[in-house]
Amino acid sequence: MTADNPLGDRLDDDDYPAYTMGRAAEMLGTTPGFLRALGEARLITPLRSEGGHRRYSRYQLRIAARARELVDQGTPVEAACRIVILEDQLEEAQRINAEYRRAAEESAGRAEPRRGATSTADPPLPSRPPGPRGLPSASDVRDHASMKLRCAVLDDYQGVALSSADWSPLADRVEVRVLREHLDDRDALAAAVGDCEVLVVMRERTPVDAVLLDRLPRLRLLITSGMRNASVDVAAARARGVTVCGTESSPTPPTELTWALLLGLARHVPAEARAVREGGPWQSTVGADLAGRTLGLVGLGKIGARVARIGLAFGMDVAAWSPNLTEERAAEHGVRCAKDLRGLLAEGDFVSLHLVLSDRTRGLVGEPELRAMRPSAYLVNTSRAGLVDGGALLRALREGWIAGAGLDVYDTEPLPADDPLRTLPNVLALPHLGYVTEGNYGRYFGQAVEDVEAFLAGAPVREIV
């Protein structure tokens, strides 16, 4: 039995791996290529003899025969393998349930003891090795008749995951639980969700890497909000037989929040609101105008282009730069194409970041770039914290290289209680709210339900590879 073989080998004394690949293919009336495909789909993994030849057990041949039957009916190989796994789960659950019933009847004296029984005490349940990924062992089965899968939704800070979507289509097949508190500790997280076959994660709140995946041996389906999540090691998940799926995500909420931060900085909204609440001075600041000022956009993708349109509506001079931006594309959005990043930062009264974080863009805005900005300029980041050198940004804010910053993303989230970004007077900081709206949450969790349904049907949707 191996970690990448969901059904295991289930060998016993009379079911040894006696059949070579060629012989197995001949018995099934198929080709060795089909058996290799089942291996790639992690349905069966042959053992190797001392000579290095692949050999299959009779149980594996029965599994392969069922998969071939489904494929002959037009089912794709990967979907057929998932169906066989689910069928096997149900069969095993029914067998275990029958054993429980038999044991109860024998204990109550309503049934004849099984042949060979020498005691009137309850017979032990049939033993089975701990289940590999996707197949629970007897001691793990909760609902023996229905074999409900277990699903955990992580980091539901607001406690709205279950009310944001209709989860009822999964009610008879999946047991859903929600974790509202963020768990930084790996041991605590593994203990909390180690029994789950399905995991739903929200953006980059909880990293899912190879180390964590090894602590989650039952995991079969991992769902992330959005179709891109740098905190999920997709390759490691797939190598362990875990399907990774995503959801759609609207660019509108982060666009709106970008402008909430920018306007808050320009008009000193936090300071003035606090003064009103606390009985402070009536008007103590003078706001910056937007009309006629320069808005510099680092990135002109789906979000950046929307931010640009709003800037133009305010009467701002909008310029943009990104590694691949052309003058033609910039002109399509009615903005100027800056020659380089330093030039854009030097002329911008407000600079907003809208790039994907990658090896190419990590640390893109460092000390030289921040020093190139005007002392009266503001930096807004609703994209990814890694785009900016965090240490250089702290120095820029403390020493007055720039006027201030509006931030919604951080290197560590939740932001530690003693982080200086929480208390700097020229920082408008929000707890990563860019995507947090009713519409987006409805989309995330509604499509998470769809992802689970499709996976159970053997045809995953929005799969991330």
Side-chain angles (χ1 to χ4, degrees):
M1 185 176 297
T2 60
D4 61 354
N5 180 2
L7 293 177
D9 296 309
R10 296 200 193 169
L11 302 178
D12 54 38
D13 292 341
D14 63 350
D15 195 19
Y16 54 91
Y19 305 103
T20 64
M21 176 177 281
R23 175 60 177 153
E26 180 182 350
M27 293 172 67
L28 291 171
T30 185
T31 64
F34 179 73
L35 292 174
R36 292 192 191 95
L38 297 186
E40 291 172 0
R42 298 182 178 86
L43 181 67
I44 56 175
T45 300
L47 299 181
R48 292 181 181 270
S49 66
E50 292 182 0
H53 300 292
R54 292 184 177 90
R55 289 185 177 272
Y56 297 85
S57 68
R58 284 194 289 274
Y59 170 75
Q60 290 177 320
L61 295 192
R62 290 197 298 272
I63 290 296
R66 173 57 179 151
R68 186 197 169 197
E69 179 183 348
L70 291 168
V71 170
D72 288 345
Q73 294 171 1
T75 305
V77 171
E78 287 196 7
C81 291
R82 291 191 178 96
I83 291 171
V84 172
I85 292 171
L86 292 171
E87 289 177 343
D88 185 84
Q89 285 183 319
L90 180 57
E91 179 183 345
E92 182 67 8
Q94 291 171 338
R95 182 186 68 79
I96 294 171
N97 191 41
E99 291 287 347
Y100 269 110
R101 291 177 182 273
R102 176 79 178 185
E105 290 173 355
E106 289 179 7
S107 178
R110 294 196 303 270
E112 291 295 326
R114 286 180 293 181
R115 185 175 303 171
T118 59
S119 171
T120 57
D122 289 353
L125 289 175
S127 62
R128 184 180 178 193
R133 186 179 303 283
L135 258 180
S137 62
S139 61
D140 289 331
V141 177
R142 287 188 175 180
D143 187 334
H144 307 302
S146 63
M147 280 295 290
K148 280 190 176 182
L149 300 182
R150 278 157 286 199
C151 170
V153 180
L154 300 187
D155 300 311
D156 181 18
Y157 296 149
Q158 299 91 349
V160 297
L162 300 184
S163 61
S164 294
D166 179 10
W167 294 79
S168 63
L170 304 177
D172 61 341
R173 294 171 291 170
V174 182
E175 174 188 306
V176 182
R177 63 176 179 262
V178 171
L179 280 68
R180 292 194 59 177
E181 298 297 325
H182 178 73
L183 297 177
D184 272 326
D185 184 81
R186 286 283 180 86
D187 291 337
L189 181 58
V193 302
D195 63 334
C196 292
E197 291 86 4
V198 182
L199 207 59
V200 179
V201 300
M202 176 61 73
R203 306 301 291 180
E204 289 87 8
R205 291 178 183 176
T206 294
V208 182
D209 57 15
V211 175
L212 179 60
L213 288 165
D214 285 338
R215 302 286 300 276
L216 307 177
R218 299 178 61 86
L219 187 63
R220 293 169 51 206
L221 174 63
L222 175 62
I223 300 171
T224 174
S225 56
M227 291 301 296
R228 182 188 292 116
N229 189 333
S231 293
V232 172
D233 189 335
V234 176
R238 289 177 61 82
R240 290 159 176 78
V242 178
T243 299
V244 182
C245 295
T247 71
E248 296 173 357
S249 183
S250 171
T252 301
T255 299
E256 295 170 347
L257 193 82
T258 296
W259 280 100
L261 287 171
L262 196 152
L263 289 167
L265 290 168
R267 302 304 293 269
H268 308 286
V269 170
E272 295 290 4
R274 184 168 55 253
V276 171
R277 183 184 306 111
E278 298 175 355
W282 190 259
Q283 295 187 9
S284 61
T285 65
V286 177
D289 295 291
L290 296 186
R293 297 293 178 91
T294 298
L295 171 62
L297 299 176
V298 183
L300 197 63
K302 290 189 294 184
I303 297 174
R306 285 169 168 78
V307 173
R309 287 201 294 271
I310 297 171
L312 293 171
F314 273 120
M316 301 184 77
D317 171 31
V318 182
W321 175 90
S322 74
N324 300 313
L325 183 64
T326 63
E327 291 187 2
E328 292 75 16
R329 176 164 173 75
E332 290 175 5
H333 295 285
V335 307
R336 293 186 291 109
C337 181
K339 292 183 179 180
D340 53 44
L341 177 60
R342 294 275 185 91
L344 180 76
L345 297 173
E347 70 169 319
D349 296 295
F350 299 88
V351 175
S352 188
L353 307 182
H354 302 287
L355 288 177
V356 173
L357 181 62
S358 65
D359 292 339
R360 186 181 182 187
T361 60
R362 186 177 298 277
L364 185 69
V365 179
E367 180 172 337
E369 289 74 24
L370 290 167
R371 287 191 179 277
M373 294 179 67
R374 301 176 182 180
S376 59
Y378 293 93
L379 178 70
V380 176
N381 189 2
T382 58
S383 184
R384 292 293 182 269
L387 297 172
V388 182
D389 180 330
L393 178 59
L394 274 177
R395 292 195 299 275
L397 292 165
R398 285 169 168 163
E399 298 175 15
W401 308 351
I402 60 176
L407 305 175
D408 190 44
V409 289
Y410 311 93
D411 290 321
T412 301
E413 297 185 12
L415 193 64
D418 60 351
D419 194 293
L421 291 175
R422 287 181 176 266
T423 56
L424 284 174
N426 55 349
V427 173
L428 175 50
L430 296 177
H432 205 158
L433 297 176
Y435 55 88
V436 182
T437 66
E438 293 176 354
N440 242 6
Y441 268 32
R443 187 174 295 105
Y444 290 162
F445 294 116
Q447 292 188 5
V449 173
E450 294 175 0
D451 287 348
V452 177
E453 286 190 287
F455 178 80
L456 293 177
V461 294
R462 292 181 287 271
E463 191 168 359
I464 300 173
V465 297

